[in-house]
Amino acid sequence: MESAKELPKAIAPVKELSAKEAQIDPFPFFRQCRESTPVRYDTQRECWDIFRYEDVYNVLKDPATFSSVRPIKGPVLLGSIIGMDPPKHMQMRGIVSKAFTPKSIEELGPRIASITEELLNAVVNEGATNLVHDLAVPLPVIVIAELLGIPAQDRRLFKEWSDSIVKGPDSGSKEDMHRLYLEREKTRHELDDYFLKVIAERRNRPEDDLVTKLVEAEVNGEYLNDMEIVEFCILLLAAGNETTTNLITNSVRRLAEDPALQVILYDQPALIESFIEEVLRYYPPVLSLSRYATKDVQIGNTEIRKGELIIPWIGSANRDEEKFADADRFIADRSPNPHMAFGFGNHFCLGAPLARLEAKIALRILSNRITNIRFADHFEFKPIRSPFVYGVEELPIVFERRG
């Protein structure tokens, strides 16, 4: 069995972001780092943190110098192509991208709308809901489960596994890191067992779903093996669930923070798309990524050695004053808006069009059916405990029904 020491130390919490208040609002810390230490080494986490837009952009666009391939092994849970570089990355990505063409995504629109309406019907007469539990979690879970051909009774497992994929330790202590390693290893075994059974079923009895498409796919004349398919399924589970959940949650959080935005979206529904893009910039679902230097390289005035771990902070880059005017102000119709919430370059999030579509439909239906959205009394934000995603575990809101 692999040692828990093989987990990258960068998954430990950043010291300055360990307090609850800083996790809820990390952006002042990011601003301070951009101004004082835009490239800094964290001795506890043994990695370089990169905060400025230009530096993050340059790291993400250059896979030859800044590799996604982990030099150490461990219970990886984010899918094989996350940890690949070109050319194999592009070959493997091409398989799944066939299922995420613009046409195929748009065809999901009516089903996404139907699910959203059904979920809202269960709470709209109550005048209150926990947005995370009642909409932001089940909507993407149902969508990705149906795409993969997973039965409805297993959706709860999907959510539990998805939470485990993004979960971080309470601290950087050896005990917490070891506990996290064991949890991830357990999740990995459960995912392997589950999807291997599904793959075996699809080989014997193909169906109209993504698992069947992966079973039948070829790369350079060869079929994928079972573990390559499992890795793809894990990637789709994570990309199709957590990112969208946090995007929808963060969007409604922003509406509750600024009631004027609710009026704007109802009166001008065409602004919903640009509103979502601004949410992605302002409250990005993913705060950071990771890369490894393939050679000695300089970022800014800092020398980074071959093999060292680099953390590009997307959440900081998206608030960089050098790139965005009034960067700390939410502008619903901001244009242009070159945020990097879904990454950039070869590893640009494959599920970005689906996440955007789900958020757009959810926001449109919410705007049409409820108004005066506000936080429930005595509500306190509880941030998701993760080293790289940004969201809250619960979002209790109260509202009035339109009409």
Side-chain angles (χ1 to χ4, degrees):
M1 182 181 296
E2 295 155 332
S3 167
K5 294 180 180 178
E6 291 178 333
L7 275 177
K9 292 187 177 181
I11 67 171
V14 176
K15 179 178 64 176
E16 293 89 344
L17 297 179
S18 57
K20 175 184 174 182
E21 294 75 13
Q23 293 173 29
I24 294 169
D25 185 12
F27 305 103
F29 165 69
F30 292 153
R31 180 172 60 250
Q32 177 184 344
C33 289
R34 288 193 303 273
E35 294 171 352
S36 60
T37 53
V39 181
R40 74 167 199 174
Y41 189 75
D42 188 317
T43 55
Q44 178 186 2
R45 293 161 53 246
E46 296 182 356
C47 65
W48 292 95
D49 292 308
I50 311 297
F51 295 100
R52 286 181 178 165
Y53 186 99
E54 182 179 5
D55 293 332
V56 171
Y57 174 87
N58 288 334
V59 167
L60 297 183
K61 78 172 185 178
D62 185 3
T65 304
F66 304 102
S67 173
S68 298
V69 179
R70 290 181 60 190
I72 57 175
K73 295 182 179 180
V76 180
L77 287 171
L78 287 179
S80 59
I81 64 173
I82 291 289
M84 287 182 184
D85 289 330
K88 187 176 182 181
H89 169 265
M90 298 308 294
Q91 294 169 344
M92 299 291 279
R93 182 184 174 99
I95 294 172
V96 182
S97 64
K98 294 175 183 177
F100 286 88
T101 63
K103 182 176 182 295
S104 63
I105 295 299
E106 285 300 322
E107 288 175 349
L108 295 173
R111 178 57 181 149
I112 294 170
S114 174
I115 296 168
T116 303
E117 295 280 9
E118 181 180 342
L119 293 170
L120 279 179
N121 285 341
V123 300
V124 71
N125 290 328
E126 302 297 323
T129 183
N130 186 327
L131 192 281
V132 172
H133 295 169
D134 295 334
L135 177 64
V137 164
L139 174 60
V141 167
I142 292 170
V143 171
I144 197 63
E146 290 184 353
L147 282 173
L148 287 168
I150 302 304
Q153 63 266 26
D154 292 341
R155 291 171 188 164
R156 178 186 57 81
L157 285 172
F158 260 43
K159 177 55 182 169
E160 291 175 0
W161 288 328
S162 183
D163 288 345
S164 176
I165 288 171
V166 303
K167 184 179 179 182
D170 292 324
S171 71
S173 69
K174 290 182 179 180
E175 293 77 14
D176 277 340
M177 295 291 281
H178 182 68
R179 189 180 303 112
L180 179 64
Y181 181 93
L182 294 178
E183 288 179 11
R184 287 193 171 188
E185 191 174 47
K186 177 176 178 291
T187 298
R188 182 60 209 244
H189 287 317
E190 291 174 351
L191 283 163
D192 286 353
D193 290 345
Y194 183 91
F195 281 118
L196 285 172
K197 291 177 182 177
V198 176
I199 291 165
E201 292 172 359
R202 296 302 186 272
R203 290 194 190 282
N204 292 326
R205 190 174 63 256
E207 297 186 14
D208 184 21
D209 57 36
L210 276 176
V211 176
T212 300
K213 288 183 173 66
L214 291 170
V215 167
E216 296 173 348
E218 295 183 49
V219 178
N220 296 331
E222 296 183 3
Y223 291 104
L224 300 177
N225 62 46
D226 284 0
M227 290 313 301
E228 287 174 327
I229 298 173
V230 168
E231 292 282 6
F232 268 123
C233 292
I234 294 172
L235 171 63
L236 293 168
L237 169 62
N241 184 353
E242 290 295 333
T243 299
T244 310
T245 290
N246 291 331
L247 173 55
I248 294 172
T249 302
N250 293 345
S251 295
V252 177
R253 169 186 170 181
R254 191 70 198 105
L255 291 175
E257 290 172 339
D258 187 353
L261 289 171
Q262 301 176 41
V263 177
I264 290 172
L265 293 192
Y266 181 73
D267 291 341
Q268 304 177 62
L271 282 180
I272 288 178
E273 290 190 25
S274 64
F275 169 85
I276 290 170
E277 294 306 307
E278 183 69 341
V279 172
L280 286 164
R281 184 194 72 86
Y282 195 81
Y283 286 156
V286 175
L287 286 177
S288 65
L289 300 171
S290 63
R291 296 291 187 268
Y292 293 88
T294 61
K295 60 183 178 182
D296 293 351
V297 64
Q298 184 168 310
I299 299 180
N301 297 321
T302 304
E303 294 289 338
I304 294 175
R305 299 299 181 188
K306 178 180 178 180
E308 290 186 319
L309 175 59
I310 300 162
I311 305 298
W313 284 93
I314 293 171
S316 176
N318 284 352
R319 294 285 191 104
D320 192 336
E321 302 83 352
E322 296 295 319
K323 188 67 178 181
F324 301 95
D326 293 324
D328 284 328
R329 186 162 71 94
F330 188 94
I331 303 174
D333 59 351
R334 183 183 291 273
S335 181
N337 193 348
H339 65 76
M340 291 187 282
F342 288 119
F344 183 80
N346 293 58
H347 284 275
F348 182 82
C349 179
L350 194 64
L354 179 58
R356 283 178 164 126
L357 181 63
E358 289 183 59
K360 180 178 71 173
I361 291 173
L363 264 291
R364 174 176 54 79
I365 293 174
L366 279 169
S367 295
N368 287 336
R369 298 194 63 179
I370 64 175
T371 185
N372 196 19
I373 300 169
R374 55 206 186 277
F375 299 122
D377 292 341
H378 311 299
F379 163 64
E380 292 185 5
F381 287 113
K382 184 178 181 181
I384 294 172
R385 195 174 80 241
S386 169
F388 57 90
V389 305
Y390 183 67
V392 291
E393 293 187 359
E394 298 183 347
L395 194 70
I397 58 171
V398 293
F399 54 84
E400 296 172 12
R401 181 175 179 175
R402 286 194 185 276

